[in-house]
């Protein structure tokens, strides 16, 4: 079994690996070794990581093994994960992942403003992070490296943060799943409340596992020392290692998390509506057995998306309707471009608001937000979900994005706060991934997770093979 995991590792999901480790079929160190080997294989081409902690990861694998031997139930036992640079292992959501048995192998690339003027590009000392499907294109950002690490099979789960689409956009452009929970659901890094932590994964079941662990935890594990692995670690694929403190294990209660079924999650994980991972059609709405009523908008009232991107994302949405998972209804979606409101709110969060409070910009921003909130309230009064393309454009070349704003279909929901997820919809004729965005009512992440699982079941998404993206 260990030999198979090492050979076929890129195709394994987080819950599959955790089930094998929890059952004693493989040691917690086996997935870690496979992840580090995959990192070495892909780093020369993709450059997804800015730091790697092999010694610390090996140590944490030992900690997980000892916890399992004592009878601990760890939903993410031995699962290698990556964390977005800047968030680190001290973030509350990451602490919960560690407490569930996940093992961080390193940090992933993000944009650096001094190196380029846009946010869809991952920066490393070895060159830009490349899109795994089109290396001549950017992966999207700011969670660039996290999306690439997941899409290329280095890790099955990576942490991300979404302030204007920074989880959903790279997920769309790398052909994976990216979830932005309801704003305010978890602590975020900015005072404006725009940025929400979330996961990037390949499998619907793994998105649900992240939600179960992070949202279902009864209380946080102990606070962790500063980010980093033990001093003196070596290098992996030319990636610098980290030095510093070591997290407190926190691998068992007070979290109170159990795993009665390694391939399903019960209400004890904090998932409502009887969500069952092994069958995404369990827990449908009562109106004809559907998962809800849906509205489609390709523009939100103001955007100008590429026709091919619209066609591919709409085709994915229509699969859900054709299967009876969703039913369409017509509700006008006429939002105003949220750029002014988003910009004013972000600027205000960076410093005192009093100087700008009476300006024309602030007044205009308030008008835009009020209009959009009314419009979205009308939409969600008549429908459970709103579906759009995740981005108006396909991944752009490394030279720059041109005039199109990749955030035009995502950042409205950072302002309004609804949960949203990007799921793989297909590929353009020139081989670029396209994402379908599903936006839900406040607090209804469970419905989104069921829809992701339903779409994956209808048309399984490509998984990386052991020989892809190596160099």
């Amino acid at each position: 079994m260990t030999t198979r995991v090492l050979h076929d590792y890129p195709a394994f999901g987080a819950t599959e690996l955790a089930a094998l480790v929890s059952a004693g079929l493989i040691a917690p160190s086996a997935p870690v070794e496979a992840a580090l080997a995959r990192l070495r294989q892909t780093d020369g081409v993709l450059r997804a990581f800015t730091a790697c902690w092999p010694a610390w990861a090996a140590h944490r694998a030992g900690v997980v093994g000892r916890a399992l031997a004592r009878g601990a139930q760890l939903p993410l036992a031995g699962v290698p994960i990556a964390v977005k640079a800047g968030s680190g292992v001290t973030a509350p959501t990451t602490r919960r992942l560690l407490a569930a048995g996940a093992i961080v192998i390193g940090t992933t690339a993000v944009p650096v403003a001094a190196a380029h003027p846009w946010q869809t590009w991952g920066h490393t000392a070895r060159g830009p992070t490349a899109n795994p499907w089109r290396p001549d294109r950017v992966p999207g950002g700011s969670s660039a490296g996290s999306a690439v690490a997941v899409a290329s099979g280095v890790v099955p789960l990576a942490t991300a943060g979404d302030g204007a689409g920074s989880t959903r956009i790279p997920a769309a452009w790398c052909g994976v799943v990216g979830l932005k929970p309801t704003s305010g659901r978890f602590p975020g890094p900015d005072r404006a409340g725009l940025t929400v932590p979330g996961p990037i994964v390949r499998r619907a079941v793994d998105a649900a596992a992240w939600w179960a662990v992070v949202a279902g935890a009864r209380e946080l594990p102990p606070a962790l020392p500063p980010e980093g692995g033990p001093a003196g670690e070596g290098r992996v694929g030319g990636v610098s290692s980290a030095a510093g403190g070591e997290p407190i294990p926190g691998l068992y209660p007070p979290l109170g998390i159990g795993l009665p079924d390694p391939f399903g999650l019960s209400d004890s994980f904090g998932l409502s509506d009887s969500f069952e991972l092994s069958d995404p059609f369990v827990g449908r709405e009562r109106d004809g057995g559907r998962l809800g009523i849906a509205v489609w908008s390709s523009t939100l009232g103001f955007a100008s998306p590429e026709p091919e991107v619209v066609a591919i994302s709409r085709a994915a949405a229509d699969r859900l309707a054709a299967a009876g998972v969703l039913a369409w209804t017509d509700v006008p979606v006429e939002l105003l471009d949220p750029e002014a409101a988003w910009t004013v709110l972000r600027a205000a969060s960076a410093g005192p608001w009093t100087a700008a409070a009476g300006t024309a910009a602030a007044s205009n921003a308030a008008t835009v937000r009020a209009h959009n909130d009314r419009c979205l309230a009308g939409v969600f009064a008549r429908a459970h979900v709103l579906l759009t393309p995740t981005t108006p454009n396909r991944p752009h070349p490394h030279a720059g994005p041109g005039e199109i704003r990749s955030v035009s279909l995502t950042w409205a929901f950072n302002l309004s706060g609804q949960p949203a997820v990007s799921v793989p919809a297909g590929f353009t004729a020139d081989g670029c991934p396209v994402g379908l965005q599903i936006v839900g009512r406040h607090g209804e992440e469970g419905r989104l997770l069921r829809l992701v699982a339903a779409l994956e079941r209808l048309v399984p998404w490509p998984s990386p093979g052991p020989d892809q993206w190596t160099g």
Side-chain angles (χ1 to χ4, degrees):
M1 178 60 72
T2 299
T3 301
R4 179 194 165 204
V5 169
L6 291 172
H7 182 267
D8 297 334
Y9 167 78
F12 277 90
T15 51
E16 288 177 294
L17 292 170
L20 293 172
V21 171
S22 296
L25 297 176
I26 59 173
S29 59
V32 170
E33 292 169 2
L36 293 173
R38 183 67 172 173
L39 194 162
R40 287 191 293 269
Q41 292 172 344
T42 60
D43 180 70
V45 174
L46 300 178
R47 299 178 292 276
F49 283 76
T50 56
C52 185
W53 307 330
W56 186 50
H59 167 74
R60 292 290 294 183
V63 173
V64 169
R66 291 189 293 274
L68 291 171
R70 290 194 296 268
Q73 292 183 314
L74 307 179
L76 297 177
V79 175
I81 67 170
V83 294
K84 181 179 179 179
S87 58
V89 297
T90 60
T93 50
T94 303
R95 282 155 51 192
R96 287 175 169 171
L97 299 176
L98 293 172
I103 299 170
V104 178
I105 67 166
T107 57
T108 55
V110 297
V112 174
H116 45 80
W118 55 91
Q119 293 293 305
T120 52
W121 198 74
H123 176 81
T124 75
R126 306 173 312 286
T129 304
N131 188 301
W133 298 100
R134 284 287 304 267
D136 62 326
R137 305 293 176 96
V138 298
S142 61
S143 305
S146 288
V148 174
V150 170
S152 60
V154 177
V155 291
L157 184 154
T159 68
D162 193 311
S166 293
T167 297
R168 289 162 287 164
I169 293 168
W173 285 358
C174 293
V176 289
V177 178
L179 172 67
K180 180 199 85 71
T182 302
S183 298
R185 182 65 180 81
F186 307 112
D190 69 284
R191 293 191 297 172
L194 293 169
T195 303
V196 185
I200 292 179
V201 297
R202 286 194 305 274
R203 305 273 189 85
V205 69
D206 294 342
W210 181 92
W211 178 255
V213 167
V214 171
R218 304 320 192 251
E219 35 181 315
L220 283 174
L224 303 177
E227 173 185 335
E233 290 194 357
R235 301 171 66 86
V236 172
V239 183
S240 299
S241 61
E246 178 183 346
I248 297 170
L251 290 167
Y252 26 80
L255 286 177
I257 300 174
L259 189 61
D261 175 1
F263 295 102
L265 298 176
S266 69
D267 284 341
S268 65
F269 288 83
L271 290 176
S272 58
D273 303 325
S274 301
F275 175 52
E276 175 62 46
L277 290 173
S278 60
D279 185 352
F281 298 97
V282 172
R284 290 182 177 182
E285 300 307 309
R286 293 181 178 178
D287 54 339
R290 292 183 292 267
L291 284 175
I293 307 300
V295 171
W296 169 262
S297 176
S298 61
T299 68
L300 295 180
F302 63 89
S304 300
E306 296 178 17
E308 188 178 9
V309 169
V310 172
I312 293 168
S313 56
R314 179 60 196 249
D318 284 338
R319 293 185 195 109
L320 291 170
V325 178
L326 290 176
W328 293 117
T329 190
D330 290 325
V331 181
V333 184
E334 297 294 339
L335 303 185
L336 299 175
D337 189 335
E339 178 178 1
W342 188 94
T343 302
V344 166
L345 185 60
R346 173 56 66 89
S349 71
W353 173 243
T354 53
T359 66
S363 176
N364 179 60
T367 299
V368 169
R369 291 192 75 183
H371 171 90
N372 287 356
D373 286 346
R374 286 193 300 270
C375 179
L376 290 172
V379 170
F380 288 107
R382 297 175 58 185
H384 299 99
V385 290
L386 168 62
L387 280 67
T388 79
T390 304
T391 65
N393 53 335
R394 69 195 72 199
H396 61 77
H398 292 278
E403 298 299 320
I404 297 178
R405 285 196 177 275
S406 59
V407 298
S408 62
L409 295 171
T410 53
W411 57 356
F413 307 111
N414 295 87
L415 283 167
S416 64
Q418 279 93 1
V421 62
S422 179
V423 295
F427 292 82
T428 60
D430 60 351
C432 293
V434 172
L436 169 68
Q437 179 176 220
I438 309 174
V439 184
R441 294 169 174 171
H442 290 96
E444 292 197 359
E445 286 86 353
R447 189 190 305 274
L448 298 188
L449 293 170
R450 290 196 294 274
L451 286 168
V452 174
L455 186 57
E456 183 180 23
R457 171 171 285 195
L458 289 170
V459 183
W461 307 313
S463 291
D467 298 318
Q468 282 183 278
W469 305 309
T470 60

